[in-house]
């Protein structure tokens, strides 16, 4: 819900960013490529510079780690992780 209510409108009105692809097991975004996982998206969309992770904190760590290891910039909502140790590890990456 927050993706449709907040994130998509914010990206759409900011000319510095372009939504290039989405990854979700359940949702789809019209007009762009959609993938079932972040791994599939990163494999198919080599030109992505950054990802914004819009998911509950308990799932963010693995997705953020995957994106950081692929040398992408990562935007995390608050709280950025389920535990402080997760956030510290992501910060180190």
């Amino acid at each position: 819900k927050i993706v449709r209510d907040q994130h998509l409108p914010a990206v759409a009105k900011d000319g510095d960013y372009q939504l290039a692809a989405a990854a979700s097991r359940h949702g789809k975004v019209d007009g762009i490529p959609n993938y079932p996982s972040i791994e599939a998206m990163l494999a198919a969309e080599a030109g992505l510079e950054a990802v914004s992770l819009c998911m509950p904190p308990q799932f963010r760590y693995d997705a953020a780690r995957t994106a950081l290891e692929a040398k992408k910039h990562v935007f995390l909502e608050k709280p950025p992780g389920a535990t402080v140790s997760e956030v510290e590890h992501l910060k180190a990456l």
Side-chain angles (χ1 to χ4, degrees):
K1 181 161 176 33
I2 193 168
V3 169
R4 298 205 186 280
D5 292 348
Q6 300 292 324
H7 293 262
L8 291 176
V11 170
K13 71 180 181 182
D14 190 323
D16 291 335
Y17 301 97
Q18 176 185 355
L19 187 62
S24 174
R25 290 178 291 154
H26 306 290
K28 301 281 185 227
V29 179
D30 293 336
I32 60 171
N34 288 269
Y35 300 94
S37 68
I38 190 166
E39 293 85 359
M41 182 180 71
L42 292 171
E45 303 285 339
L48 292 178
E49 295 179 22
V51 298
S52 178
L53 299 177
C54 309
M55 58 185 56
Q58 63 268 28
F59 302 110
R60 277 189 212 134
Y61 174 79
D62 288 335
R65 188 190 74 235
T66 297
L68 289 168
E69 288 173 348
K71 306 297 186 211
K72 308 301 179 190
H73 297 281
V74 177
F75 171 81
L76 299 169
E77 294 182 290
K78 296 186 291 185
T83 67
V84 173
S85 62
E86 283 182 358
V87 176
E88 288 299 323
H89 185 248
L90 294 175
K91 182 179 166 185
L93 285 174

